[in-house]
Amino acid sequence: MQVPAGAKRLGLPLLAAVVLVVVAQLIVWGLVTGAEQLSRPPGMAATARVEYRLKDADGKPMAPAFATSSGSDGYVVTAGEGDTGIVFSIPFQVEDPAKPLALYLSIRELVHEIRVNGQLIQPQLALGRIQGVANSEPGLYTLPAQALTAGRNVITVEQTRYGYAYALPEFTVGSAEALSSAYRWKSFFMVDLALGGMFILVFTSLLVLVIDWPAGDRRRARSLVVFLLSSAVVTWLFSFTPPFDMGINVTVYLLCVAGIGNALAALHYVLCDVGAAEVWRRRVWQAALAGLGVLTVALLAGMVKDDLGRRLAYLTLDVSHYVVIAVCVAAVMVLAAAIAVTRPSRWPERLVVMVCLSTFILDRAGSLTDLTSPFAPDLPLTLYLSPIVGALLGLAMLLSIARQAGEARRVVATANDVLETTLKAREAELDAVHARQSQILQRHVLLEERQRIVRDMHDGIGGQLLGLMLQVRGRRLSVPVIEAALQTSMDDLRLIVDSLDSAEESLLAALRAFEYRARAQIEAAGFAFEVDLAFDAADVLRPGPRASLQILRILQEAVSNALRHSGGGRITLTGRRDGDNLTLSLGDDGKGFASDRKGGLGLNNMKARAGRLGGRIDIASGEDGTRVTFAIALGVLNALVAEEVML
């Protein structure tokens, strides 16, 4: 018979889902069996029944009775209306009183007093409850050798009343060394690991909250925070003493609310994780609100009458166990189907969540009936596992976040590589275009520069030489005049050369070149030449050849005027940058001239050049000499440079 193709396609994912569920259960049962073997000493279930005496309102013992073993719940005795406490009697045999012995209690709960053969070993003092509503640390009490006798001995354990019943936890008397090992392991599972799990869950929740998740992952992240924080609350409530006294009805109410709320939060996270429809996620919250309402009504009804409250407490607790089992089974199946069908990349953390939810199921099933390990049929399951797996759940989510961050970094790195390759290709294209444009621009700039040089030489040196030639032809010039005119032309030619040499350098370089050429001329005329150019290394001003030439011509004209007309002996050149302004000043120590004198001395020529640059010339003259100051705004100078570059 041939199997239809559709059945094959459905059968393989179904088989994979079943395998995943089985794997998760094997992991759970393996962890549970190992933890029980480490924390459960031998001989815990050896005593079938123990004798007890209730205490009346005056604290006097009543008639003796016997309590039979209720498995992991210990020896349960229903409380009456008038009793205030109970004293359990534990007989045991001692072969060698010198051998260290100890009493091990699986739960140290409301123990007031412990005596061995009448000798006090635990004072009559209520021990602080480190346990929560479901868990407790164990108790280990060393039996003093002087209180023991060979043969039959009796330990009495006194407890106070809490709730509707007394319960002597499972116990054993044996070697102190062997029992201390079991005590340390159970304390580690019940207290240390639970406390560490709480901190890990809270830390992971805070980490999830501060991460800037993509829009598609924000709902899942918020649901994960609710799941982790509810697990932390369950761990705290089940494992540690609340900071306030609560009645048994309130205790049961909080226990049910925390358990059901945590299970529904887990289911909601699972639905968000697998991308279920919004209607299913909304129904989870509706179920949570409905369950809260029912539990609240049961709590209020139980407060009306004690007998009714007791029955409602037991009924509510049992119903909550069934609800948590059903919700967690549904969440485990959804996760298994998601892993088997879609084969997502997040299967490791989903498998861990399946393991944690399986422990929730195992805890509630163990509260309804006694369970034993399938790997060790004689080993009963007594540990409450939900708080213990908090550390595992928190660490799994931390690893998931780290893995997702690594994937995000790899995606970003891949995108950056693609982008870098694309950018390099575009840069190569732009470089080719820029090279072609640069060649065209260089030819254009070269042509413009040639035209500028021609204009400068025609308007400056050419005009001067033409005028000189006309005057020579008319024989109207003497040799000194001709020499002075030729010197002026040579100076102008040198200025043109200096401006071209410093075209790619700073203004400071052009001024240093001017200083070098002018110093020989000034010192040959018998003047001292002092230069102070106070520009910082960061003031790399590049005004370009045109502006540099005009500035140098202004300075040359000022030098010529000082040499010919000042009658002094020293010329100074200073340069400053004051904020957004550039200032150059050339002065002498000569006789000066009248302030109302107009024109002459090349002053009008200098003012015209400064005006073409957008600057100004200030002239101060007096008995101490004459000072010509050229000032220009750097913004104007930069605009001239930009205009020259555009040309």
Side-chain angles (χ1 to χ4, degrees), residues 1-66:
M1 178 177 173
Q2 185 176 3
V3 179
K8 289 183 178 180
R9 289 194 298 269
L10 179 62
L12 290 177
L14 181 60
L15 178 60
V18 172
V19 170
L20 286 170
V21 172
V22 172
V23 169
Q25 301 315 306
L26 290 176
I27 294 174
V28 171
W29 285 105
L31 294 175
V32 170
T33 302
E36 288 286 356
Q37 289 175 338
L38 289 172
S39 61
R40 185 177 179 84
M44 289 288 286
T47 305
R49 66 176 189 167
V50 295
E51 180 184 313
Y52 70 89
R53 289 174 179 266
L54 293 173
K55 286 189 172 183
D56 59 18
D58 296 329
K60 295 181 179 180
M62 300 182 185
F66 289 92

Side-chain angles (χ1 to χ4, degrees), residues 5 93 188 231 399 459 489 536:
Q93 296 291 324
F188 169 74
S231 299
L399 294 177
D459 296 341
S489 298
D536 294 335

Side-chain angles (χ1 to χ4, degrees), residues 293-597:
V294 171
L295 291 173
T296 303
V297 171
L299 172 66
L300 297 177
M303 292 181 176
V304 176
K305 190 177 181 181
D306 289 342
D307 185 57
L308 177 62
R310 178 170 55 187
R311 292 197 302 270
L312 285 177
Y314 287 120
L315 177 62
T316 303
L317 195 59
D318 289 342
V319 172
S320 71
H321 292 333
Y322 286 110
V323 171
V324 171
I325 291 173
V327 172
C328 291
V329 167
V332 169
M333 299 308 297
V334 171
L335 280 176
I339 298 174
V341 175
T342 61
R343 293 184 294 276
S345 59
R346 292 195 301 271
W347 71 266
E349 56 263 34
R350 288 180 173 177
L351 183 60
V352 172
V353 174
M354 289 176 60
V355 170
C356 295
L357 294 179
S358 297
T359 62
F360 295 173
I361 298 171
L362 186 61
D363 282 342
R364 271 51 180 205
S367 299
L368 295 171
T369 184
D370 290 334
L371 298 176
T372 59
S373 171
F375 303 124
D378 296 334
L379 182 66
L381 301 184
T382 59
L383 292 177
Y384 200 78
L385 302 170
S386 299
I388 299 177
V389 299
L392 176 63
L393 178 62
L395 290 175
M397 294 302 105
L398 280 176
L399 294 177
S400 175
I401 293 172
R403 183 189 55 76
Q404 293 181 56
E407 290 181 354
R409 285 194 296 270
R410 285 193 295 271
V411 170
V412 171
T414 303
N416 287 338
D417 292 340
V418 174
L419 181 60
E420 184 178 359
T421 303
T422 304
L423 287 177
K424 286 182 178 179
R426 294 293 183 268
E427 287 177 358
E429 295 177 2
L430 291 176
D431 289 342
V433 174
H434 184 266
R436 292 193 296 269
Q437 292 180 347
S438 297
Q439 293 176 358
I440 297 173
L441 183 61
Q442 287 175 1
R443 289 195 294 268
H444 180 72
V445 171
L446 180 59
L447 179 60
E448 289 291 333
E449 192 64 19
R450 287 175 179 174
Q451 293 176 353
R452 185 186 68 81
I453 294 173
V454 170
R455 287 195 301 269
D456 287 340
M457 296 186 69
H458 178 270
D459 296 341
I461 300 175
Q464 295 171 5
L465 293 178
L466 178 60
L468 180 61
M469 183 183 67
L470 294 176
Q471 295 182 51
V472 170
R473 287 178 180 175
R475 294 181 174 85
R476 297 192 301 271
L477 295 178
S478 61
V479 173
V481 174
I482 295 174
E483 183 179 358
L486 290 175
Q487 184 63 47
T488 301
S489 298
M490 291 179 63
D491 292 340
D492 196 56
L493 179 60
R494 288 170 179 167
L495 293 179
I496 295 174
V497 172
D498 289 341
S499 65
L500 291 175
D501 286 343
S502 61
E504 299 298 330
E505 299 180 4
S506 63
L507 177 62
L508 180 61
L511 293 176
R512 291 299 184 190
F514 173 79
E515 174 194 355
Y516 174 76
R517 295 185 182 277
R519 183 175 297 279
Q521 179 184 0
I522 293 171
E523 292 179 351
F527 283 74
F529 189 32
E530 298 178 1
V531 179
D532 181 15
L533 300 176
F535 294 119
D536 294 335
D539 294 331
V540 184
L541 305 174
R542 292 186 174 87
R546 290 186 178 182
S548 296
L549 179 59
Q550 297 301 327
I551 293 172
L552 296 180
R553 280 177 170 168
I554 292 172
L555 295 177
Q556 181 63 44
E557 187 71 28
V559 169
S560 298
N561 288 340
L563 292 176
R564 287 182 292 179
H565 306 293
S566 68
R570 185 177 69 255
I571 296 176
T572 60
L573 172 62
T574 61
R576 296 287 187 277
R577 176 180 176 178
D578 300 325
D580 294 331
N581 295 311
L582 173 68
T583 302
L584 296 173
S585 179
L586 192 137
D588 59 64
D589 59 348
K591 58 187 178 181
F593 58 89
S595 59
D596 58 351
R597 183 175 179 179

Side-chain angles (χ1 to χ4, degrees), residues 221-343:
R222 291 194 297 267
S223 180
L224 176 60
V225 170
V226 175
F227 177 34
L228 295 177
L229 290 180
S230 65
S231 299
V233 171
V234 168
T235 301
W236 170 75
L237 183 61
F238 283 22
S239 302
F240 299 98
T241 305
F244 45 84
D245 293 331
M246 300 183 298
I248 187 64
N249 291 52
V250 176
T251 300
V252 172
Y253 173 78
L254 292 179
L255 177 65
C256 296
V257 169
I260 295 176
N262 184 222
L264 291 175
L267 179 59
H268 188 272
Y269 165 71
V270 168
L271 293 176
C272 291
D273 190 42
V274 302
E278 174 65 25
V279 62
W280 293 105
R281 299 194 296 267
R282 188 165 57 249
R283 286 177 180 174
V284 171
W285 292 121
Q286 292 171 352
L289 293 176
L292 181 62
V294 171
L295 291 173
T296 303
V297 171
L299 172 66
L300 297 177
M303 292 181 176
V304 176
K305 190 177 181 181
D306 289 342
D307 185 57
L308 177 62
R310 178 170 55 187
R311 292 197 302 270
L312 285 177
Y314 287 120
L315 177 62
T316 303
L317 195 59
D318 289 342
V319 172
S320 71
H321 292 333
Y322 286 110
V323 171
V324 171
I325 291 173
V327 172
C328 291
V329 167
V332 169
M333 299 308 297
V334 171
L335 280 176
I339 298 174
V341 175
T342 61
R343 293 184 294 276

Side-chain angles (χ1 to χ4, degrees), residues 572-574 585-588 618-622 625-629:
T572 60
L573 172 62
T574 61
S585 179
L586 192 137
D588 59 64
D618 295 326
I619 301 174
S621 184
T626 302
R627 180 164 296 278
V628 179
T629 303

